[in-house]
Amino acid sequence: MGKEAEEASREARKLVFGKYEMGRVLGKGTFGKVYYGRELRSGESVAIKVIDKEQIRRQAGMMEQIQREIAVMRLVRHPNVVELREVMATRSRIFFVMEYVRGGELFARVVRGRLPEDQARRYFHQLISAVDFCHSRGVSHRDLKPENLLLDEHGDLKVSDFGLSALPEQLRHDGLLHTQCGTPAYVAPEVLSRRGYDGAKADLWSCGVILFVLLAGFLPFQDASLMRMYRKVVKAEYQIPPWFSGEARRLVSRLLVVNPEKRISMPAIMQLPWFKKGSCRPPPIQIPPPSP
Ligand code: ATP
């Protein structure tokens, strides 16, 4: 590309349809980059995910996946789910305009070390309330992990990245999902077994792994060999560190149950006194103002 064309393309990227000004890159996903943006009229911050159509055309089924992500995000409007404001497209690109969640990924918080139980419980409470809402709309996320949980300026959790989520129409005649997806360390044993699974129950396993990680500061299932790690997952072979309280220990061990039928249910989680204590608001976290 010549220098002038390059300049013109940079300018075009800067202003999306004359509505949004685009700034720095916030992150990179499988399908494209996410940019910081500002709505010109209101000055409001947004996050804009830019997807290259050519790239997704080259991979079978990817266009359907993007369409599903849009449909799901429109369906699940909840305070703990990243809001999709609008979707725009040119001949070559798709733009997802989302609310800007400025506190970064929960993952960054966890790599600094384990959280005090009160804080872990509050994140877990918000996670469960978002996931329960998705399930009530027939949506299973299928890729829950701290990298997909963002924090806003109040320190509240927002579930993002519905790229792998499933809608009810994907269920086969047996009422189960059959696509193997998710991230190995967080994925439920029944998803690995390829026999078909209930997406909502599989999400609860991932919530169990997330709760473990928040409280422990490390993963329950890990191994240098992927095969050995899978073996640990399918047998639920893990050890709870001694600093977990009795209630937290009991909840983790009722979530990380191999048989999905015997795994604790959503209503049962919500009835636990330990869980109910998680609804109180925390002090806001300190976040620097956004830079364009
Ligand atoms: P993949 O889609 O491959 O699973 P991902 O979750 O990293 O990857 P994206 O959802 O495209 O992909 O997001 C990439 C990164 O951009 C995120 O990890 C996050 O740091 C940032 N990001 C995404 N959405 C927002 C948002 N609404 N506000 C602020 N930052 C965001």
Side-chain angles (χ1 to χ4, degrees):
M1 204 190 304
K3 208 165 174 237
E4 260 174 51
E6 227 173 74
E7 191 91 338
S9 138
R10 209 173 305 134
E11 272 309 299
R13 214 170 40 72
K14 227 171 139 192
L15 284 173
V16 183
F17 299 103
K19 261 185 100 174
Y20 299 98
E21 185 182 30
M22 276 168 73
R24 71 198 153 91
V25 175
L26 295 171
K28 212 168 169 279
T30 319
F31 301 121
K33 290 181 182 151
V34 179
Y35 295 83
Y36 171 77
R38 210 160 47 86
E39 192 183 13
L40 293 170
R41 210 169 45 135
S42 64
E44 206 186 338
S45 297
V46 289
I48 306 177
K49 185 165 174 170
V50 183
I51 295 163
D52 183 4
K53 283 187 182 169
E54 192 47 48
Q55 202 191 329
I56 53 176
R57 264 192 220 110
R58 275 188 248 126
Q59 296 175 57
M62 285 304 160
M63 193 49 107
E64 290 73 27
Q65 194 168 312
I66 302 282
Q67 282 163 346
R68 195 160 57 234
E69 185 170 358
I70 296 170
V72 165
M73 286 186 85
R74 285 190 169 140
L75 199 63
V76 291
R77 295 195 179 271
H78 182 275
N80 297 114
V81 173
V82 172
E83 186 194 345
L84 178 66
R85 298 267 165 88
E86 61 178 322
V87 180
M88 301 187 290
T90 61
R91 255 193 342 192
S92 59
R93 293 197 174 93
I94 303 171
F95 301 85
F96 277 51
V97 182
M98 300 174 280
E99 73 171 300
Y100 173 54
V101 188
R102 64 190 71 224
E105 298 169 8
L106 179 58
F107 180 73
R109 175 71 192 78
V110 180
V111 290
R112 293 205 299 268
R114 67 181 149 106
L115 305 184
E117 190 160 309
D118 266 1
Q119 214 174 334
R121 175 182 19 225
R122 201 180 56 80
Y123 289 139
F124 183 74
H125 193 280
Q126 297 186 340
L127 170 66
I128 287 294
S129 99
V131 173
D132 178 51
F133 183 79
C134 293
H135 292 174
S136 74
R137 296 288 179 277
V139 170
S140 46
H141 186 284
R142 301 201 295 178
D143 196 19
L144 292 167
K145 55 181 174 179
E147 294 88 322
N148 286 336
L149 306 176
L150 304 178
L151 299 178
D152 72 5
E153 66 270 34
H154 307 293
D156 286 329
L157 178 149
K158 306 256 180 183
V159 176
S160 86
D161 196 4
F162 285 81
L164 292 177
S165 58
L167 285 162
E169 54 264 31
Q170 277 169 272
L171 303 179
R172 283 223 214 129
H173 56 277
D174 55 2
L176 296 172
L177 291 161
H178 290 261
T179 318
Q180 219 189 355
C181 58
T183 306
Y186 292 87
V187 101
E190 65 272 21
V191 179
L192 296 174
S193 77
R194 296 170 185 260
R195 260 182 267 118
Y197 59 93
D198 175 327
K201 291 197 169 99
D203 276 350
L204 280 179
W205 171 280
S206 307
C207 290
V209 178
I210 292 170
L211 177 59
F212 184 105
V213 170
L214 296 178
L215 290 167
F218 53 84
L219 285 160
F221 310 104
Q222 49 187 333
D223 203 292
S225 141
L226 199 59
M227 257 346 272
R228 277 202 302 265
M229 190 180 81
Y230 281 179
R231 261 184 244 128
K232 288 181 185 171
V233 172
V234 296
K235 288 195 237 150
E237 227 177 79
Y238 67 97
Q239 278 188 343
I240 296 183
W243 57 82
F244 279 34
S245 70
E247 283 170 297
R249 177 180 295 267
R250 275 192 293 282
L251 176 53
V252 167
S253 49
R254 289 178 71 191
L255 282 161
L256 300 182
V257 169
V258 175
N259 182 347
E261 297 307 321
K262 296 199 172 140
R263 200 168 294 152
I264 187 169
S265 68
M266 194 61 100
I269 295 173
M270 291 178 159
Q271 285 312 312
L272 295 173
W274 184 89
F275 176 81
K276 287 183 187 167
K277 278 189 259 167
S279 58
C280 49
R281 271 195 95 83
I285 53 172
Q286 294 299 314
I287 295 163
S291 58

